Amino acid sequence: MDKILILDFGSQYTQLIGRRVRELGVYSEIIPGDSSISEAALKDAVGIILSGSPFSAYDTQAPAPDSSLYDSRLPILGICYGIQRMTLDSGGAVERLPEREYGRRAVRLRAAGAENPLFAGVEGRFVSWMSHGDSILKPGEGWSVIAESEGGIPAALVHEGGKRWGVQFHPEVSHCEFGQRILGNFVMGICKARQGWSMEAYLEQEAALIRSKIGSQPALLLISGGVDSTVAGAFLLKTLDPAQVYLLYIDTGLMRKAESDEVMANLSSLGARHLHKVDAEAVFLAALKGQEDPEKKRRIIGDLFISIQEQEVERLGIPKAFLVQGTLYTDLIESGKGVGKKAQVIKSHHNVRSPLVEKKRAEGRVIEPLDRLYKDEVRALGRLLGLPEAIVGRHPFPGPGLGVRILGELSKEKCDILREADAVYISELRARGLYDKIWQAFCVLLPIRSVGVAGDERKYGYVAALRAVKSTDGMTADVYPFDPEDLIAISSAITNKVPAVGRVVYDISSKPPATIEWE
Ligand code: XMP
């Protein structure tokens, strides 16, 4: 299958470039920007994209591509830092701008730009998305400017050899007019990539792979209740003999309302034969007692998960089973493993780095059938496998569950209150037709009480914060712009139906600088 290779220099938008290429029906693969450009890395590649970066190209610490990149005969497109890097590497100059160019900025094509295949079908003036503090002062040897921003700053360049291009703006960001067209011009027009990427093709490929790897041995999948592990479960049950598939669900007591029952019902309807549920609520709550630090809570939850898993695996008599995980491409990237090692590890995702997983990995017994997929692709795969919309359309839910949505110390009482408040919030969103317009919505229980009135009495109630964001993959997120009437009605519904909550607030922070979860 033809692929576009993306060299990641740590930009927050690298993931988005990968996704946009796949939306064009072409497989994309992201590797760290300073990886060796080996034959293996280039296998099936028909073009290369260099991402942006938080570094300046002239920083001594700045990541540099393998010099053999420039010997490649493949077309190369540098985005932001990518073109600045190519400029410096070919004798040009990059300087700091007196003022950052950020947000929507108009770009004007010069005559040579209007004729260039990169801009086929693009208007002579369009609104782009900029995010840079440096700019190209002098193009590298053989390069010329073919578009500029309104401030006269170079916005697109081409190399006379006709194999390299650079854009200062971000065509991958949805706010950039003609962005997808420009990427398509590069990927299909210039690189001539064939569109072989589809969920049908992926399913066929992964099914053949897993059958040849596992044969008739047992496969164990740890079910979290979320979309990813449910899709992984459906995939196993359809691909292997259900008699060899062991599904293990640990009920931590940190799940959403009715979630555990729904998970079990869904998996049995998929034909599961070995479906095991461990009721571990009391164990988790006891271990979390007195713990306030978010990363400590994460670690406790993760470690407990692992020790319970190990006990259960022994008990089920399948210690040699292959371990199957619903890990996504973005999970690997956010944990700084394998790809995008320059991207900072922001939160630890325990399904990726647990000792059980590491041990099984060393034995070559971990299988992650979704690890090249983005969230929306997993949903498409779930639909292809016949899962109902209510499951595949569900908002993402973090591994540590309510453990990171109750700020500070947890208790059963707080879990129950949050479960109720969250259920009211979500059912209000569904009733108002808003659920599917939002990427992720949930309630957070704050570690404070505030005063309120109930009848003639003053009472102290909990404060629930509502979160609702628009996102494509959770890497960046915008606040969902509710109609104020909806927010007010949702707040009343929560305080009426959950008397322990006395006040509701709405979180209006984007990511970055905030994260989606509060802990
Ligand atoms: P943040 O809060 O980092 O979240 O902006 C990005 C996405 O990841 C989910 N998330 C997690 N998922 N284990 C997980 O499996 C975790 O520890 C974890 N922390 C955050 C979060 O719900 C959002 O969708």
Side-chain angles (χ1 to χ4, degrees):
M1 195 186 294
D2 285 351
K3 82 175 175 199
I4 296 291
L5 189 65
I6 299 165
L7 299 194
D8 175 25
F9 295 104
S11 160
Q12 57 168 326
Y13 298 133
T14 306
Q15 288 314 305
L16 218 43
I17 304 172
R19 273 193 35 141
R20 295 280 180 244
V21 172
R22 290 193 189 180
E23 279 168 17
L24 293 165
V26 175
Y27 180 53
S28 64
E29 200 170 282
I30 299 174
I31 61 170
D34 54 4
S35 310
S36 126
I37 307 290
S38 60
E39 265 183 39
L42 288 175
K43 187 173 175 302
D44 301 326
V46 294
I48 300 176
I49 297 180
L50 311 187
S51 83
S53 175
F55 287 92
S56 284
Y58 48 75
D59 282 346
T60 48
Q61 302 288 311
D66 181 347
S67 59
S68 71
L69 171 73
Y70 298 121
D71 300 332
S72 167
R73 300 183 59 78
L74 297 179
I76 302 176
L77 172 66
I79 296 179
C80 196
Y81 174 91
I83 177 57
Q84 294 177 4
R85 183 78 252 170
M86 286 200 279
T87 298
L88 277 191
D89 292 347
S90 58
V94 172
E95 64 165 357
R96 177 151 294 274
L97 284 170
E99 204 176 304
R100 254 177 99 66
E101 261 198 322
Y102 184 78
R104 290 183 169 86
R105 293 293 167 105
V107 162
R108 229 178 265 121
L109 298 180
R110 291 184 178 178
E115 286 164 13
N116 196 283
L118 188 66
F119 293 111
V122 176
E123 282 170 14
R125 182 183 180 281
F126 62 93
V127 177
S128 75
W129 183 263
M130 297 280 186
S131 176
H132 63 118
D134 291 336
S135 124
I136 291 167
L137 178 65
K138 176 168 101 61
E141 215 180 303
W143 286 88
S144 56
V145 176
I146 54 172
E148 57 215 340
S149 70
E150 272 178 339
I153 295 168
L157 296 94
V158 65
H159 188 260
E160 62 190 9
K163 281 277 182 191
R164 286 174 206 161
W165 287 259
V167 287
Q168 185 57 71
F169 56 90
H170 289 271
E172 69 278 18
V173 171
S174 56
H175 307 304
C176 180
E177 283 178 2
F178 300 104
Q180 192 64 342
R181 174 106 202 193
I182 294 167
L183 282 178
N185 285 343
F186 178 70
V187 171
M188 270 107 73
I190 292 170
C191 302
K192 307 269 181 270
R194 286 166 299 176
Q195 293 158 294
W197 179 250
S198 68
M199 281 309 101
E200 284 85 353
Y202 187 82
L203 184 58
E204 211 173 289
Q205 216 180 47
E206 286 297 310
L209 205 70
I210 196 169
R211 282 193 202 112
S212 73
K213 202 162 176 186
I214 296 191
S216 58
Q217 298 177 66
L220 167 71
L221 173 72
L222 307 165
I223 300 287
S224 70
V227 179
D228 311 340
S229 59
T230 309
V231 172
F235 168 76
L236 286 183
L237 292 166
K238 294 246 164 164
T239 305
L240 302 173
D241 176 355
Q244 70 186 113
V245 179
Y246 289 77
L247 303 171
L248 177 60
Y249 175 69
I250 300 171
D251 185 355
T252 57
L254 306 173
M255 309 303 285
R256 291 168 285 195
K257 190 175 176 184
E259 188 159 28
S260 297
D261 295 339
E262 282 171 25
V263 170
M264 300 308 276
N266 285 330
L267 290 167
S268 6
S269 72
L270 288 169
R273 300 253 197 97
H274 308 291
L275 181 53
H276 303 276
K277 178 178 163 201
V278 185
D279 184 0
E281 180 183 38
V283 184
F284 275 86
L285 289 179
L288 288 164
K289 198 165 169 43
Q291 299 295 339
E292 292 183 354
D293 179 70
E295 279 298 297
K296 254 196 202 145
K297 289 194 316 191
R298 265 200 169 69
R299 210 166 319 120
I300 291 171
I301 296 169
D303 289 349
L304 209 47
F305 243 107
I306 291 150
S307 58
I308 296 175
Q309 274 162 23
E310 285 181 337
Q311 283 163 23
E312 288 300 310
V313 169
E314 283 295 323
R315 202 179 61 78
L316 294 170
I318 47 162
K320 291 259 176 292
F322 277 86
L323 183 65
V324 182
Q325 298 205 110
T327 314
L328 303 195
Y329 201 37
T330 35
D331 296 335
L332 293 177
I333 290 153
E334 283 227 328
S335 295
K337 192 172 181 96
V339 277
K341 68 180 179 201
K342 289 274 184 294
Q344 243 186 316
V345 178
I346 299 172
K347 288 176 187 173
S348 48
H349 285 227
H350 63 252
N351 57 340
V352 183
R353 290 206 159 187
S354 81
L356 174 77
V357 177
E358 293 303 323
K359 190 171 128 236
K360 289 268 184 193
R361 211 183 282 286
E363 295 168 358
R365 285 184 168 267
V366 171
I367 294 181
E368 290 166 313
L370 314 180
D371 69 351
R372 285 185 295 149
L373 301 186
Y374 291 97
K375 193 87 186 179
D376 53 348
E377 292 176 322
V378 170
R379 292 200 164 111
L381 184 65
R383 286 183 193 108
L384 194 63
L385 287 163
L387 287 173
E389 202 53 43
I391 298 179
V392 293
R394 218 169 196 192
H395 291 175
F397 189 59
L402 302 186
V404 290
R405 291 185 177 171
I406 293 169
L407 303 198
E409 188 182 359
L410 270 83
S411 66
K412 167 110 172 84
E413 184 210 7
K414 287 184 188 170
C415 288
D416 288 340
I417 293 169
L418 181 56
R419 253 189 287 274
E420 288 303 321
D422 192 70
V424 174
Y425 180 30
I426 298 300
S427 80
E428 284 290 322
L429 292 180
R430 286 199 191 275
R432 288 161 197 277
L434 297 174
Y435 186 81
D436 294 328
K437 294 185 179 156
I438 295 169
W439 193 78
Q440 193 174 11
F442 54 89
C443 272
V444 176
L445 200 67
L446 305 191
I448 48 169
R449 303 274 195 119
S450 80
V451 74
V453 284
D456 293 334
E457 273 175 53
R458 282 165 75 84
K459 71 163 203 176
Y460 286 92
Y462 281 102
V463 182
L466 307 180
R467 190 77 166 125
V469 293
K470 295 186 297 177
S471 178
T472 42
D473 46 25
M475 308 294 280
T476 57
D478 291 320
V479 177
Y480 184 76
F482 276 116
D483 180 334
E485 296 296 326
D486 284 321
L487 270 181
I488 294 166
I490 292 168
S491 165
S492 301
I494 293 175
T495 47
N496 280 334
K497 293 181 184 162
V498 191
V501 173
R503 197 174 289 262
V504 175
V505 296
Y506 186 47
D507 176 1
I508 51 167
S509 331
S510 298
K511 173 183 180 177
T515 50
I516 296 176
E517 303 289 346
W518 277 42
E519 279 195 337

